[in-house]
Every structure is written in structure tokens, then in C-alpha cells.
Amino acid sequence: MTDKQTQSIVAKLIGAAAAFGAALVVQKVLGLAWKAKTGHKPPAADDQGDAGLAEVVAAAAITGALVAMSRVLATRGTARFTAKVDDGPDLNPLD
């Protein structure tokens, strides 16, 4: 495997980890905000609770949009970071 391919794989792994972490943070923050506003946790797919259809749809739409946006931003940020690292100065003068 070439050095460039290895860097690409590492960048993809870091990007995936950053996107996963961002999605978890967004879900936690959204859960806290939802609980502060409504007094209970947002409805989940497997809940058999008292949540009405409108509340379930709103929770799903908000969660989906924010998680998708956080994943895109984390992936783009990681791509920019790894591009800067890849294009950085060569620290080995013997090459």
C-alpha cells in the first residue's frame, strides 16, 4: 500500500469517527433540550408511550436533520484537516 493510500484510509477512519461522535453529541444535546422544553425525553421508535403522531414526527424530523448536518460538517472538517496535514511541509529533509 502506498503512503497516499494509507493516509486516505486513516483520513476516512478519522472522518467516520468524527461523524459518529458528532451525531452522538447532537442526540444528547437534543434530548436535553427536548426534556427541558417538554418535561420528558423525545419519543423513540420503540417507545409505546403517550406521544402523539405530531410529536413523533417532529422529534424524528429534528433529530434526523441535526444528526445529518452534524455528520456532514464533521466529515468536511476532517477532510479539510487531513488535506492540510497531507499538504503540510515535508519535515524529513533526507527524502
Side-chain angles (χ1 to χ4, degrees):
M1 219 186 270
T2 68
D3 191 38
K4 193 73 163 173
Q5 287 174 328
T6 302
Q7 289 175 345
S8 177
I9 291 170
V10 170
K12 286 179 183 179
L13 290 174
I14 292 171
F20 180 74
L24 285 178
V25 169
V26 165
Q27 286 181 321
K28 285 289 185 185
V29 170
L30 182 62
L32 291 172
W34 191 279
K35 188 170 184 176
K37 183 71 175 169
T38 64
H40 58 85
K41 295 187 302 185
D46 56 349
D47 285 347
Q48 298 296 324
D50 299 332
L53 181 61
E55 186 177 7
V56 171
V57 170
I62 293 169
T63 302
L66 292 178
V67 166
M69 187 171 46
S70 71
R71 291 178 64 198
V72 166
L73 294 175
T75 303
R76 286 183 181 183
T78 304
R80 279 193 206 109
F81 174 75
T82 56
K84 285 181 183 178
V85 170
D86 290 347
D87 293 339
D90 187 14
L91 299 177
N92 190 358
L94 300 176
D95 282 341

